[in-house]
Amino acid sequence: MFLDWAAKLGLLEHNPEANILKEFSLPVKKILVSQVVTFLLEGSNAIKCLISANHVDWALETVGQGFTLPIEEEDSIIKVINLYRTWTLEKGKRPAPISKNFQYFIQQMLMHFSLLFHPREASKEMVEKHANLCSKVLDIFLQIGRQLGTKLSVETWEIFLKLLTSCADYILRQDLEKIQEALPRKLNAQIMKVVFELFLLSKTRNPDLWGALIDRVSYWTHHMSLILTWKTFAISLTRRTAAILYGPSEGSETVSVKLDDSTQNLQLEDEYVFYAWHKLLYILGNPNEQIKHPAIFLAFMNGIEMLVNFYLALGSKEINDVVAPPSGNTILNLVGPWLFDAIQLDRKGFDEGTALALKILCNIVMTKAHTNIQPYYIAHFYFSLQQSLLKEGRVLLAGITSCTNLFSYSLQGVRCLLPAFVFAIHKILSRSAKPFDNVMPAEHVRRSCLTILGQILPLPNHFQDSPFKLNIMNLEGSQGAQIKPFDVGTFTQLKNHYNIILMDSLSNENYAPNLERILSLTYLWQCENIDNSSDFTKQSLTLIVRKMTTAWPHDVTKMALKIVSQMSELYPKIEKGSDQADRIIKSLCKYVTTQIKAINHNNQEKKEELTSLAYQCICNWLMVEQWLLKKPKTRDELLKAIVLGLTGNLQNVIDAEQVVTKEKTKKKKKDEKKNEKQNVQQILVISDKIKNAAHETLLVLLNQTGNFPTACGPSAVSTLITELEVLDNNIELSKQNGEITINPKNSKEYIRYFITLEKVIICCIDRPFNPSGPSVTLIVRDKTGKYAWDINLSYLPITVPKFDPPKIAPPPISDVPFQPLTQPVPLDEIDSIFSYLENQPTKNSFPIVQNQVQKEDQFLVQNNFHLNTDITVKEPEGANPYSGACGWQQSRMLLSHLGYLSLENRDQLYPLHMNHAFFNALRNLDQVSERECVKISCIFARKGQSTLEEYLGNEGGSIDFQEFINSLGWGVKLSKHNGFKGGLESKRAGPITPYWANFSTEVTFQISTLIPNTDSHPEQNHKKRIILGNNVYVVIVWVEDLLTFSPQMIWHKAKSNCVIICINPLPHGLYSIRIFSKSESTSVGPLFDGVVVSKYSLGLLVRSTSIAIHTKERVIQEGEIGMLEIRENVLDDIFRKYKIECNLEKFYSSLFSTNDIIGPHEAQLSSSSNIEVSRKTKRKPKRTLESPVPPQRSKGDLRSHNKRENSSNWSSTYTRPSHSDSQTKIGVLGSHHRRNANNENQEEEKSRKKKSSKKLKNKKKNNNNNN
């Protein structure tokens, strides 16, 4: 019988005096049991008849035989179960002798209950009924334990637990007959739950009982229910122990067991909780030996994973100050041996469990890396991981996917695994490993490989020829198979493997997100290794350009174009870089042509975006050097691509292709003629986006090739000269000259503004006293910037020939004043003449004549008979253009010589209204930067700091941090800086800040440690306003302790939706990068979350990534409108509002007159200041002037600061100045200027009258003198 089995197990001693009906025949037993149990269940018969202990013993002996009856006697068995249930659980219905000696009789009834679990020979149907009966008994067992547990004696509990163990062992044993398999299948889960719960309710610490249970459980491990039940109870006890140690927030206040959609809360003493937890945790023994079924072993590892995850999460909430969270050593002490054995045994068919064991192990080590794990465990971990990386299948998959961030932790000696990881990564990325599709998508596995590769890229150059102590060539792979040759002895020898891995990945990868990651890694490796060799850079560039122009999808090509643009910064280090740039430009030109031809209604947007990016990429490679001037063929191809983007005319492209492919055959010539006829007048419709991109490329080629950086440095691409400065120079020089007086009032006579149909503003300023002679300063403004030219009118050749002018002798001059041409009158005739005259009545007139002659003689004598008068013809002197009333002379001639003043070009040039509104609009134009302006904030967080206020209170920073700041850009003095300042002012932001610029972008870095602290405000709110102000889309945080950092502290205070780039210095001199973003968007590169870089490339990569992120976020939050488009909109506005359309007479008259205009002095025009703009819409920008302009030119992108950074005028919306705005802006000041202008006009008229009257008087005096 069943009690004999219990005795055989050594759990109970057999009582030979019991079971008195054993030898009775079955029919007798049936009748006897049925009659007795029926009688005892009726009314109160049991209480009345069973009045002594002997009576009860007899009744139990009789009725107890019902548990041994065949299952066909189901009714009798159920009656016996109900009777025993009543006597055990219902105190009022049990006979008095049972209550008096309850412990004895309940022990007897428990023993009788156990008889039901003995298997019977029966059909499957009967076995099902047998299982149901046993289930009812198990429910009664649970009720006894829960309701009477505190009333049961230790002896009763021990008998109870021994019976339970025997029942479970008898049913769950492996040698059960097949016909009885339904019994354990139905009962195993329930009986496990009952056994474990009653052991806990008994609160027994009897080592024999626990030992017996542990011994028998080892024979039940072929049942899945055992593992599932064990997992539930183990986790419940673990949660309770955590609550005891660390507080109720970390666990549960009771042992809460959830099974079969029900929850049972067990109230146990704290000490017993720890005792039972330890016993139950190790009740299975060594699972690697006891568990023989892979699925059950996997379930066991799932339970271990749940336990480990719970322990790893401890400490995230409020914890007890006395007890520290479990360290990595503590957790490995609990489960480490099971995990190490599971990995190293490598049992065939147990791949899933082994892979999960490796995953758990990696999770423990990496999560608790900061707790100084013991070398013993670290060594076993490295050995287990290295062994797994040399295998195939799930284990290799787990080794890769579980260790994606392993090399970003400061684990001692972790780099000894580098050869094994490179071997595994190469095997997976080259597709030589077994497929993982049935476990995980292969592309996800390859992505994990790429993530690991991003952490190990800088190691070869960082450690160079340091040897690896453990060579994987000496190891064996899975099942003893020798691995493929992979001889790597030093870090340097890994470089070639990196080259192969990246090139193969670029060639073979077809999953778009992975390709984007590979492109970033390629650029990272180029930056790391280009100083040693540029071969990989050239090969990878060629491959990327070829793939992106032929095979890759839209998103990948978009990323590739951006990466190739960034790669242009490596040009100076590329051997024969001009040839490489030449190949890139040619390929991009062909790509642009192909894209424009292929544009249709279905994919127009995408192709326009790629074409625009291709033009931008061309610009970046154009500006690296003046190599294009040496490549005329490439230049011609580029110009054709630009013209195609501007006009859409395919004829030039077709002609070029025909010239290349032309063959001297008659058939070919006929085909070409047909094609020519068909292709003539093929014009494509080009979108504005492509036209703008092509136009900007043309402007870069024409304006900036060979002209950046300019003479004023990279901080400015426009001239720093202002109209006010030129006019002030005129005033100063006029004081030295003394002939003409120029003052702020009449300086307007020397300046005019015009605008062309192409929206180019031309300012012509006459400079009368230029040291090199009268000249013109021409200031040109277009959408690309502001440019100034000094122009002199030259008539003489550059080299004047040396010759002596011919010397002509003057005609001879006689000493005698008069030589008559006739013969003299004879003397004898004179007397007759005088006598005649005496006889005439001329006596009165003669004295008059005589007097006249005397006076004439006297005058001639006094003037030496005019012999000294120079009457020779002389060469005229040069004209003085400024002797008249008009001061705008040289400029008029310049425009006339250029043809702008001719009748034919009359509609090409318009004068501009020089009024206050115009000068305000002109100032707005100068305040719009020509380049993309980026401001990036940078914060330093010391180890031990955990709040934003502590971060912002730092000054200086570590040496590493300061070197990093120097690598972002060059330092500029804010007080003298001419470029974009990003809202920084020297008074409150300190004297110096890092700055970087190229031909298309300006970047200002707002460094928190360079901004002075305010002692009166320890929360440093002034720094918050700058570092986390408007339009800050990227925040760099140098975090010495990443565990204490939370991005929420920055997002909570930031005014814009920003991306956070965290730089975490690693102990061995490298830097781990973490990127936090609120949106789950694709990476922009080159850096991505989790990558590790060296100090050498850190600044370059962080800057490039920050600019890329800023551009992306700015487009999302403000719109796609660029700075050149904003400038173009302002120019359109000026053209529409201030151009003067008049007849020819007025036009030509305005060239000489200064009526109805004001000058820059009156408009207080000066240089530009920093202003901010929002680009949320593509409408024409609207802007009003907010604050006085500083004397130094300081360009902005209309997104920088004003005196008040939060000013709604500047920080939110850029508004176009309208007439009403201008009038409102001017207000009283405008009327004051108008009154001054009227007064000035009156004074000028008075002065002119005075001058004219003086001239008349002078003329009269001269005439009188002449007379």
Side-chain angles (χ1 to χ4, degrees):
M1 296 298 293
F2 180 78
L3 294 177
D4 296 333
W5 176 260
K8 183 179 179 181
L9 296 177
L11 296 175
L12 293 174
E13 295 182 2
H14 180 64
N15 183 6
E17 296 180 359
N19 198 9
I20 59 176
L21 299 180
K22 179 180 180 181
E23 300 300 331
F24 282 38
S25 63
L26 181 60
V28 175
K29 289 182 180 179
K30 291 180 181 179
I31 295 172
L32 187 60
V33 170
S34 176
Q35 294 295 326
V36 174
V37 72
T38 303
F39 174 78
L40 293 175
L41 284 174
E42 292 178 356
S44 58
N45 291 342
I47 297 176
K48 294 177 181 179
C49 297
L50 303 178
I51 57 176
S52 68
N54 291 332
H55 294 165
V56 175
D57 280 334
W58 179 85
L60 292 177
E61 282 289 338
T62 303
V63 175
Q65 290 299 314
F67 292 110
T68 65
L69 294 176
I71 302 303
E72 289 81 2
E73 303 298 324
E74 180 182 6
D75 293 340
S76 297
I77 297 173
I78 292 175
K79 289 180 180 180
V80 175
I81 292 173
N82 291 336
L83 178 66
Y84 273 44
R85 180 187 177 282
T86 302
W87 287 358
T88 54
L89 298 176
E90 299 181 22
K91 183 178 181 180
K93 295 182 180 181
R94 68 170 70 119
I98 295 179
S99 297
K100 291 180 181 179
N101 195 3
F102 180 70
Q103 300 297 330
Y104 168 76
F105 286 111
I106 196 171
Q107 292 174 16
Q108 296 301 315
M109 286 187 282
L110 289 173
M111 291 180 184
H112 293 170
F113 268 132
S114 66
L115 297 175
L116 182 63
F117 291 90
H118 190 279
R120 280 107 165 133
E121 293 182 3
S123 63
K124 290 185 179 180
E125 182 181 356
M126 291 297 105
V127 173
E128 293 286 338
K129 292 182 178 181
H130 187 190
N132 292 334
L133 294 174
C134 291
S135 177
K136 291 183 178 181
V137 173
L138 291 173
D139 288 339
I140 295 172
F141 283 173
L142 269 182
Q143 293 179 29
I144 292 172
R146 293 171 182 174
Q147 298 179 19
L148 306 176
T150 57
K151 299 178 181 179
L152 298 180
S153 64
V154 174
E155 181 183 1
T156 303
W157 265 118
E158 290 181 356
I159 292 175
F160 195 6
L161 296 178
K162 289 177 181 180
L163 289 171
L164 276 175
T165 305
S166 301
C167 293
D169 186 70
Y170 200 76
I171 292 176
L172 301 177
R173 70 184 190 273
Q174 298 184 18
D175 58 347
L176 198 65
E177 296 180 4
K178 288 187 177 181
I179 196 172
Q180 300 292 336
E181 288 180 354
L183 193 61
R185 187 173 61 252
K186 293 287 186 180
L187 296 178
N188 56 12
Q190 186 179 11
I191 199 169
M192 291 299 174
K193 173 185 176 182
V194 173
V195 170
F196 286 153
E197 184 173 339
L198 291 181
F199 258 85
L200 295 179
L201 289 173
S202 70
K203 303 177 184 178
T204 180
R205 299 191 183 186
N206 189 335
D208 294 335
L209 285 177
W210 282 102
L213 180 62
I214 293 172
D215 179 63
R216 301 325 300 169
V217 164
S218 62
Y219 295 96
W220 307 342
T221 53
H222 59 287
H223 290 286
M224 178 67 76
S225 59
L226 170 66
I227 305 302
L228 298 179
T229 307
W230 167 84
K231 178 174 66 175
T232 301
F233 277 89
I235 292 174
S236 300
L237 287 168
T238 302
R239 291 179 59 83
R240 178 59 187 144
T241 58
I244 296 171
L245 291 173
Y246 306 111
S249 61
E250 295 287 354
S252 58
E253 296 183 358
T254 61
V255 179
S256 182
V257 182
K258 297 180 181 180
L259 279 173
D260 301 329
D261 299 328
S262 63
T263 302
Q264 183 66 30
N265 295 319
L266 307 180
Q267 299 290 343
L268 303 176
E269 298 175 357
D270 291 351
E271 291 185 3
Y272 186 74
V273 169
F274 287 101
Y275 179 86
W277 167 79
H278 183 269
K279 287 294 185 182
L280 199 63
L281 184 63
Y282 296 103
I283 199 170
L284 299 178
N286 187 348
N288 295 288
E289 298 176 356
Q290 302 297 337
I291 300 177
K292 308 297 182 182
H293 296 272
I296 298 176
F297 183 73
L298 177 62
F300 171 79
M301 284 300 169
N302 281 325
I304 296 297
E305 184 181 28
M306 294 178 67
L307 285 171
V308 168
N309 290 340
F310 177 78
Y311 280 123
L312 294 176
L314 287 176
S316 59
K317 303 175 183 178
E318 183 179 356
I319 62 174
N320 194 319
D321 295 335
V322 179
V323 183
S327 65
N329 294 320
T330 302
I331 301 175
L332 289 173
N333 283 334
L334 295 175
V335 300
W338 297 338
L339 301 176
F340 292 132
D341 287 350
I343 299 168
Q344 295 174 14
L345 286 174
D346 191 23
R347 290 188 289 173
K348 188 175 182 180
F350 285 73
D351 291 349
E352 288 187 71
T354 304
L356 183 55
L358 181 60
K359 176 185 175 183
I360 298 169
L361 185 60
C362 294
N363 192 20
I364 296 171
V365 173
M366 290 191 294
T367 305
K368 295 295 182 178
H370 62 284
T371 60
N372 296 324
I373 300 176
Q374 294 177 2
Y376 171 82
Y377 290 125
I378 289 293
H380 276 277
F381 169 68
Y382 289 163
F383 180 77
S384 300
L385 183 56
Q386 188 177 48
Q387 190 177 12
S388 301
L389 293 172
L390 304 181
K391 298 176 183 177
E392 296 282 353
R394 293 177 182 270
V395 179
L396 173 61
L397 173 65
I400 291 295
T401 57
S402 303
C403 296
T404 52
N405 296 319
L406 178 64
F407 289 93
S408 63
Y409 295 97
S410 56
L411 287 172
Q412 187 174 3
V414 69
R415 289 174 293 280
C416 71
L417 297 173
L418 198 55
F421 268 102
V422 174
F423 173 78
I425 290 171
H426 190 193
K427 183 167 56 175
I428 294 172
L429 293 181
S430 63
R431 317 293 176 91
S432 60
K434 292 181 180 179
F436 308 104
D437 294 334
N438 59 335
V439 182
M440 179 186 290
E443 58 268 19
H444 293 177
V445 183
R446 296 197 297 273
R447 188 167 184 83
S448 298
C449 292
L450 297 174
T451 302
I452 297 172
L453 190 61
Q455 297 174 7
I456 63 178
L457 276 181
L459 294 177
N461 283 324
H462 194 66
F463 293 99
Q464 297 184 357
D465 293 329
S466 299
F468 293 110
K469 298 298 183 182
L470 183 61
N471 193 338
I472 65 171
M473 288 291 294
N474 300 326
L475 301 177
E476 292 184 349
S478 180
Q479 285 83 41
Q482 190 70 25
I483 66 173
K484 296 180 181 180
F486 192 80
D487 188 9
V488 175
T490 64
F491 283 87
T492 302
Q493 293 175 359
L494 289 172
K495 292 183 179 181
N496 188 47
H497 294 282
Y498 286 179
N499 295 342
I500 295 172
I501 289 172
L502 290 172
M503 293 297 290
D504 288 348
S505 299
L506 285 171
S507 300
N508 302 324
E509 184 59 59
N510 52 14
Y511 183 56
N514 286 355
L515 275 170
E516 294 176 3
R517 180 65 57 85
I518 293 169
L519 288 169
S520 295
L521 289 172
T522 302
Y523 183 43
L524 262 63
W525 182 234
Q526 289 176 355
C527 295
E528 292 287 347
N529 200 45
I530 194 168
D531 283 343
N532 300 319
S533 173
S534 62
D535 292 341
F536 173 77
T537 301
K538 293 189 289 186
Q539 294 171 7
S540 58
L541 264 172
T542 302
L543 179 58
I544 290 171
V545 172
R546 178 171 60 83
K547 296 287 282 189
M548 77 179 182
T549 55
T550 56
W552 285 342
H554 169 266
D555 290 339
V556 179
T557 303
K558 179 180 175 181
M559 177 77 170
L561 286 168
K562 294 179 180 179
I563 291 292
V564 172
S565 295
Q566 293 170 349
M567 289 177 180
S568 63
E569 293 194 40
L570 304 178
Y571 174 85
K573 300 179 180 180
I574 299 177
E575 186 179 358
K576 296 182 179 179
S578 60
D579 294 338
Q580 185 66 43
D582 180 60
R583 288 190 291 269
I584 292 173
I585 295 296
K586 285 181 179 178
S587 299
L588 290 175
C589 290
K590 292 179 181 178
Y591 177 72
V592 166
T593 303
T594 304
Q595 290 292 103
I596 293 177
K597 287 181 180 179
I599 288 178
N600 55 53
H601 295 291
N602 296 328
N603 57 0
Q604 182 174 355
E605 252 185 61
K606 291 184 177 181
K607 292 195 176 293
E608 286 178 1
E609 183 180 22
L610 294 180
T611 305
S612 177
L613 288 173
Y615 277 122
Q616 292 177 19
C617 187
I618 289 173
C619 291
N620 280 277
W621 282 94
L622 279 179
M623 291 300 297
V624 293
E625 202 180 47
Q626 300 184 48
W627 61 269
L628 185 67
L629 304 179
K630 304 176 184 178
K631 307 282 185 179
K633 292 184 178 179
T634 305
R635 181 193 61 213
D636 293 342
E637 290 185 23
L638 173 59
L639 291 173
K640 289 176 183 177
I642 293 174
V643 171
L644 178 62
L646 290 172
T647 64
N649 191 346
L650 286 171
Q651 189 58 44
N652 293 332
V653 179
I654 294 171
D655 292 342
E657 292 175 353
Q658 289 175 351
V659 169
V660 174
T661 59
K662 187 174 181 180
E663 296 180 7
K664 294 180 180 180
T665 60
K666 294 181 179 180
K667 293 182 179 180
K668 290 286 182 181
K669 289 182 178 180
K670 291 180 180 180
D671 293 338
E672 287 172 5
K673 290 180 179 179
K674 291 180 180 180
N675 291 334
E676 287 177 1
K677 292 179 181 180
Q678 294 175 356
N679 292 327
V680 170
Q681 302 299 329
Q682 289 192 13
I683 305 295
L684 297 175
V685 177
I686 304 299
S687 67
D688 291 339
K689 188 170 186 177
I690 293 179
K691 285 182 179 179
N692 290 336
H695 191 206
E696 289 176 13
T697 306
L698 179 63
L699 292 175
V700 169
L701 178 63
L702 297 178
N703 292 355
Q704 299 198 36
T705 303
N707 192 41
F708 182 86
T710 62
C712 53
S715 62
V717 294
S718 290
T719 179
L720 300 181
I721 296 175
T722 65
E723 290 90 338
L724 199 61
E725 181 184 359
V726 178
L727 293 177
D728 285 341
N729 182 258
N730 279 353
I731 295 172
E732 184 65 27
L733 293 177
S734 71
K735 295 178 181 179
Q736 301 175 10
N737 183 273
E739 294 183 4
I740 303 174
T741 301
I742 303 177
N743 54 55
K745 293 182 179 180
N746 65 7
S747 62
K748 62 183 180 181
E749 298 178 5
Y750 298 87
I751 183 171
R752 296 288 192 282
Y753 284 92
F754 299 90
I755 190 166
T756 68
L757 278 179
E758 290 77 18
K759 313 300 189 302
V760 178
I761 297 177
I762 301 174
C763 173
C764 298
I765 307 175
D766 266 59
R767 301 183 66 185
F769 309 112
N770 195 17
S772 60
S775 63
V776 176
T777 294
L778 196 68
I779 299 179
V780 180
R781 291 175 173 88
D782 62 7
K783 71 177 184 178
T784 66
K786 173 183 172 185
Y787 312 99
W789 294 84
D790 278 333
I791 304 172
N792 293 80
L793 181 62
S794 299
Y795 286 99
L796 297 176
I798 296 175
T799 303
V800 180
K802 294 182 179 180
F803 64 94
D804 296 328
K807 295 181 180 180
I808 302 174
I813 299 176
S814 174
D815 296 337
V816 182
F818 177 71
Q819 292 182 358
L821 297 177
T822 59
Q823 294 294 325
V825 179
L827 296 176
D828 55 356
E829 294 180 3
I830 294 176
D831 293 336
S832 61
I833 292 173
F834 280 110
S835 63
Y836 172 76
L837 292 174
E838 289 176 353
N839 294 327
Q840 295 297 324
T842 58
K843 292 182 179 181
N844 297 329
S845 61
F846 181 78
I848 296 174
V849 174
Q850 187 178 16
N851 186 30
Q852 179 66 31
V853 172
Q854 290 176 355
K855 288 183 178 179
E856 288 176 359
D857 290 341
Q858 183 182 1
F859 177 79
L860 291 175
V861 172
Q862 289 178 354
N863 290 282
N864 199 20
F865 297 94
H866 294 290
L867 295 178
N868 296 330
T869 302
D870 187 3
I871 60 174
T872 59
V873 178
K874 296 183 179 180
E875 180 181 355
E877 296 180 357
N880 181 6
Y882 301 101
S883 61
C886 181
W888 199 69
Q889 297 286 344
Q890 300 290 316
S891 300
R892 183 184 67 251
M893 287 187 288
L894 172 64
L895 294 181
S896 177
H897 296 165
L898 293 175
Y900 274 115
L901 303 184
S902 65
L903 292 176
E904 294 80 5
N905 294 326
R906 176 65 190 86
D907 58 348
Q908 300 295 319
L909 188 73
Y910 296 91
L912 289 169
H913 268 297
M914 293 171 58
N915 53 26
H916 289 285
F918 164 71
F919 283 114
N920 280 339
L922 195 65
R923 182 184 299 158
N924 287 335
L925 175 63
D926 289 342
Q927 289 166 343
V928 182
S929 177
E930 313 84 356
R931 298 177 284 181
E932 178 72 18
C933 293
V934 180
K935 57 181 178 181
I936 298 171
S937 296
C938 188
I939 301 173
F940 175 72
R942 294 186 188 277
K943 188 174 183 179
Q945 295 178 337
S946 58
T947 65
L948 181 60
E949 287 71 21
E950 290 178 324
Y951 293 173
L952 296 178
N954 293 322
E955 290 185 316
S958 64
I959 295 178
D960 271 359
F961 174 72
Q962 295 181 50
E963 290 178 347
F964 164 69
I965 295 302
N966 289 331
S967 68
L968 290 175
W970 52 89
V972 295
K973 292 184 178 180
L974 291 174
S975 59
K976 298 181 179 180
H977 182 47
N978 297 313
F980 175 61
K981 294 182 181 179
L984 299 179
E985 294 178 356
S986 58
K987 291 182 179 179
R988 62 174 182 170
I992 298 176
T993 195
Y995 171 84
W996 182 89
N998 65 1
F999 75 99
S1000 61
T1001 307
E1002 287 184 274
V1003 186
T1004 296
F1005 296 93
Q1006 304 176 147
I1007 313 300
S1008 64
T1009 57
L1010 296 180
I1011 303 175
N1013 288 343
T1014 302
D1015 296 335
S1016 58
H1017 298 284
E1019 64 277 6
Q1020 308 302 332
N1021 288 328
H1022 69 292
K1023 287 190 178 183
K1024 291 179 185 177
R1025 287 192 293 268
I1026 296 174
I1027 300 298
L1028 304 177
N1030 293 319
N1031 301 326
V1032 175
Y1033 301 128
V1034 182
V1035 178
I1036 303 170
V1037 184
W1038 183 282
V1039 184
E1040 292 185 343
D1041 185 4
L1042 196 58
L1043 294 176
T1044 62
F1045 174 77
S1046 172
Q1048 296 296 334
M1049 70 173 71
I1050 292 178
W1051 287 333
H1052 180 67
K1053 298 292 184 180
K1055 295 183 179 179
S1056 302
N1057 185 19
C1058 60
V1059 176
I1060 302 172
I1061 301 176
C1062 279
I1063 304 173
N1064 181 29
L1066 300 176
H1068 50 274
L1070 298 177
Y1071 303 88
S1072 175
I1073 306 297
R1074 295 299 312 277
I1075 299 178
F1076 300 96
S1077 176
K1078 291 183 180 179
S1079 60
E1080 296 180 359
S1081 56
T1082 56
S1083 82
V1084 295
L1087 293 178
F1088 53 87
D1089 187 37
V1091 72
V1092 176
V1093 298
S1094 66
K1095 179 184 290 188
Y1096 171 78
S1097 59
L1098 180 63
L1100 168 63
L1101 296 173
V1102 170
R1103 182 179 65 241
S1104 299
T1105 305
S1106 300
I1107 294 173
I1109 293 175
H1110 174 93
T1111 302
K1112 182 178 180 180
E1113 291 296 324
R1114 191 262 302 160
V1115 169
I1116 293 174
Q1117 299 186 39
E1118 298 184 16
E1120 294 187 9
I1121 186 169
M1123 302 313 301
L1124 295 186
E1125 191 172 351
I1126 294 176
R1127 289 184 61 88
E1128 188 174 13
N1129 291 338
V1130 179
L1131 287 168
D1132 289 340
D1133 197 60
I1134 293 174
F1135 181 82
R1136 180 172 55 86
K1137 289 184 177 182
Y1138 306 111
K1139 72 174 181 179
I1140 300 175
E1141 293 181 324
C1142 56
N1143 56 32
L1144 284 175
E1145 179 184 355
K1146 289 185 178 180
F1147 172 73
Y1148 288 121
S1149 175
S1150 67
L1151 303 179
F1152 300 90
S1153 173
T1154 59
N1155 295 331
D1156 300 328
I1157 67 172
I1158 65 172
H1161 284 93
E1162 296 169 282
Q1164 295 182 354
L1165 179 64
S1166 63
S1167 59
S1168 308
S1169 64
N1170 288 344
I1171 304 177
E1172 299 207 10
V1173 65
S1174 173
R1175 300 185 257 192
K1176 294 181 180 178
T1177 175
K1178 287 190 176 182
R1179 295 179 180 177
K1180 291 184 178 181
K1182 186 180 180 184
R1183 184 95 40 63
T1184 58
L1185 194 61
E1186 175 71 10
S1187 60
V1189 191
Q1192 290 286 340
R1193 176 185 177 274
S1194 178
K1195 305 286 294 182
D1197 74 330
L1198 300 184
R1199 294 189 303 276
S1200 62
H1201 78 86
N1202 268 327
K1203 288 188 175 179
R1204 292 181 297 175
E1205 187 175 349
N1206 297 328
S1207 171
S1208 60
N1209 288 339
W1210 298 117
S1211 62
S1212 59
T1213 307
Y1214 172 73
T1215 58
R1216 185 176 61 237
S1218 62
H1219 288 298
S1220 59
D1221 293 336
S1222 302
Q1223 293 170 1
T1224 304
K1225 192 69 184 176
I1226 297 170
V1228 179
L1229 181 63
S1231 62
H1232 173 71
H1233 281 299
R1234 286 192 291 272
R1235 288 195 299 269
N1236 290 341
N1238 294 332
N1239 294 334
E1240 290 172 5
N1241 292 334
Q1242 294 175 2
E1243 292 177 358
E1244 288 177 0
E1245 290 178 1
K1246 291 179 180 179
S1247 63
R1248 286 176 185 172
K1249 291 179 179 179
K1250 291 180 180 179
K1251 290 180 180 179
S1252 61
S1253 62
K1254 288 181 179 180
K1255 288 181 180 179
L1256 291 174
K1257 291 180 180 179
N1258 293 332
K1259 287 182 179 179
K1260 289 180 180 179
K1261 289 181 179 180
N1262 292 333
N1263 292 332
N1264 292 332
N1265 293 331
N1266 293 330
N1267 293 331

